[in-house]
Amino acid sequence: MPAMETAPVATSSSILVPLRSSAAGASRKYAQFPQRSFISFYLAPSFSFTFPRKCNSAVKYLKPPSRFTAFSSSPFASTPPEQTPCPELAVLLEVDGVLMDAYRLGNRQAFNEAFRKLGLDCAKWTEPIYMDLFRKSTGDEERMLLLYFNRIGWPTSLPTSEKDTFVKNVLQEKKKALDEFVASEGSTLRPGVEDFIDDAYDEGVPVAVMTTYGKSDEKVARSVIKKLGEARMSKIKIVGNEEIGRSLYSQLVLGQGVSSGLDEQLARQVQKAASAEKQRVAEEVASMLKLKVELGATSSESIEKVVVALRAAAEIAGHRVQDCVLVSGSQSGVAAAKRIGMPCIVLRSSSTSRAEFPSANGILDGFGGADLTISKLLKKRWSGSQNS
């Protein structure tokens, strides 16, 4: 890890900051840092993360994110010779299309279940019918329904003016049916994802799984994660609404308050440092307005929400944004990663097989073998550039 720059000293006074190592048996130590009139900083997130013993997590957490400047020389800036430094890499995984390809497994059946619940006995999609509609509509489910009922005829009791409402009702029932299928024992994870998480743990690479955005709600997303099993779940961090709310990024930049444990003087300096970050985020959001229009039909969630989730996940994983790699299955995830300079790799799924992702660093078909592996990520030097 490169040595951290020494910040200029504004006064002779200093702030004593307690640093507690997460390693077993570590003693409480204090590092003396020069005080400045303006301080940007990075605090370790208030979450514990289980790393392999060979990984020096105490050193990792002192790595400042790209938007913050490190404190001056810390006694922990160099890695003890008996420990191997953690790789400069963290992996963020989406659920939809990455942990599980729910659309390949159950989307057609979910449509048929929706038709049944709405009393549409004449409507039933076989695999050839479903694939034909999918290709002709490029995966747009509203267009799939319009094409289908224009072909076979609309329910005779349905007024022409209520076709849009009818389509929305079908899609609502279909989503309920798909969510039930995803949470059931019959659904399975994507091949290779379990080995991928195990390999990441063995290499000391933190893995965070995102549950706050996507086509499935957070409850359904967490039910998918449970399929990993308790032992494997202990190797990852789950980043949901609660975790994001407790993150330092959320507290400072989104105005949800500063931890009461901070000294008042330091808290004022924190707020001052955060004001610059707020200005940058405001400019970021303004530039996203055009991006929202471009995402339009392919993304139902706000791009700002995805950006917040990615930044909080990077903090929870203990890495800078540009040292994280997002493994995405959605256009909104790719767009948000590009916006904040986070490398992104797309795993194709049945719902994105024909989609284009020009800003992604790479596009692969799955986990393991010739596709995505931890060893390949470790060999690639991600620098935050969007060039693969």
Side-chain angles (χ1 to χ4, degrees):
M1 181 183 298
M4 294 186 285
E5 295 180 1
T6 302
V9 179
T11 68
S12 59
S13 61
S14 63
I15 299 174
L16 290 178
V17 180
L19 298 175
R20 187 182 298 272
S21 169
S22 62
S27 60
R28 183 178 180 87
K29 300 184 180 180
Y30 287 84
Q32 189 168 359
F33 303 115
Q35 181 176 340
R36 301 174 57 187
S37 58
F38 178 86
I39 293 180
S40 296
F41 73 103
Y42 177 55
L43 294 180
S46 58
F47 305 94
S48 62
F49 193 95
T50 305
F51 291 100
R53 291 184 179 275
K54 67 179 180 180
C55 178
N56 184 9
S57 57
V59 177
K60 174 189 284 289
Y61 277 135
L62 291 175
K63 180 77 172 180
S66 59
R67 299 293 180 183
F68 295 91
T69 303
F71 278 120
S72 61
S73 56
S74 162
F76 300 102
S78 60
T79 304
E82 70 275 12
Q83 290 182 302
T84 302
C86 293
E88 294 303 317
L89 172 68
V91 177
L92 313 183
L93 301 177
E94 292 181 359
V95 174
D96 291 336
V98 177
L99 258 62
M100 178 183 290
D101 188 355
Y103 278 68
R104 179 184 64 83
L105 296 171
N107 203 48
R108 178 178 66 85
Q109 294 89 331
F111 268 111
N112 287 334
E113 179 64 15
F115 296 149
R116 187 188 67 79
K117 287 185 176 180
L118 293 173
L120 302 171
D121 298 331
C122 61
K124 185 173 183 179
W125 289 359
T126 62
E127 184 70 20
I129 291 176
Y130 175 81
M131 293 308 301
D132 180 59
L133 293 170
F134 186 89
R135 283 191 295 267
K136 289 181 178 178
S137 64
T138 62
D140 185 319
E141 295 184 343
E142 185 172 335
R143 288 182 60 194
M144 290 173 70
L145 289 171
L146 292 173
L147 286 171
Y148 180 69
F149 285 104
N150 282 338
R151 180 189 302 171
I152 71 165
W154 295 81
T156 56
S157 59
L158 181 70
T160 303
S161 60
E162 295 184 10
K163 286 184 178 180
D164 288 343
T165 302
F166 170 79
V167 167
K168 290 179 180 178
N169 288 339
V170 173
L171 291 177
Q172 287 176 356
E173 289 296 331
K174 173 258 172 185
K175 184 180 184 304
K176 292 178 184 178
L178 184 60
D179 286 347
E180 290 175 0
F181 168 77
V182 167
S184 71
E185 295 182 358
S187 62
T188 58
L189 299 172
R190 284 189 74 149
V193 66
E194 294 165 310
D195 290 339
F196 180 86
I197 291 173
D198 290 342
D199 292 344
Y201 179 80
D202 291 341
E203 294 292 340
V205 176
V207 174
V209 181
M210 324 289 294
T211 65
T212 58
Y213 68 91
K215 295 179 180 179
S216 301
D217 60 31
E218 184 169 359
K219 182 178 179 181
V220 174
R222 286 180 180 267
S223 71
V224 172
I225 296 173
K226 287 182 179 179
K227 294 178 182 294
L228 290 169
E230 291 184 6
R232 197 165 280 110
M233 285 177 64
S234 68
K235 301 177 181 180
I236 66 174
K237 292 301 295 185
I238 300 175
V239 183
N241 288 318
E242 182 179 350
E243 291 80 9
I244 291 174
R246 295 203 310 266
S247 69
L248 186 64
Y249 180 83
S250 179
Q251 290 177 358
L252 297 184
V253 179
L254 303 183
Q256 295 184 10
V258 180
S259 172
S260 59
L262 291 175
D263 176 84
E264 289 185 6
Q265 180 183 3
L266 182 57
R268 286 196 298 271
Q269 292 170 328
V270 167
Q271 294 287 11
K272 187 185 296 184
S275 65
E277 182 74 356
K278 287 181 179 179
Q279 176 61 33
R280 187 196 59 73
V281 171
E283 295 172 357
E284 195 172 84
V285 170
S287 66
M288 287 175 186
L289 295 177
K290 177 175 180 292
L291 186 59
K292 273 185 173 181
V293 175
E294 293 173 353
L295 289 175
T298 62
S299 176
S300 59
E301 60 274 351
S302 146
I303 195 69
E304 296 97 315
K305 181 178 180 181
V306 183
V307 166
V308 171
L310 295 182
R311 287 192 176 279
E315 176 192 325
I316 291 169
H319 277 276
R320 301 178 302 173
V321 164
Q322 65 265 37
D323 289 331
C324 297
V325 176
L326 173 66
V327 181
S328 177
S330 66
Q331 292 283 5
S332 56
V334 175
K338 178 183 179 182
R339 182 62 53 184
I340 63 175
M342 179 181 290
C344 178
I345 292 177
V346 171
L347 287 196
R348 287 203 181 278
S349 65
S350 57
S351 61
T352 60
S353 58
R354 294 175 177 270
E356 295 183 358
F357 299 91
S359 61
N361 293 83
I363 301 176
L364 299 171
D365 292 325
F367 292 101
D371 291 308
L372 185 62
T373 64
I374 287 295
S375 62
K376 290 179 182 177
L377 290 179
L378 288 171
K379 291 176 183 177
K380 178 70 175 180
R381 298 301 302 168
W382 300 102
S383 61
S385 168
Q386 291 302 311
N387 297 322
S388 57

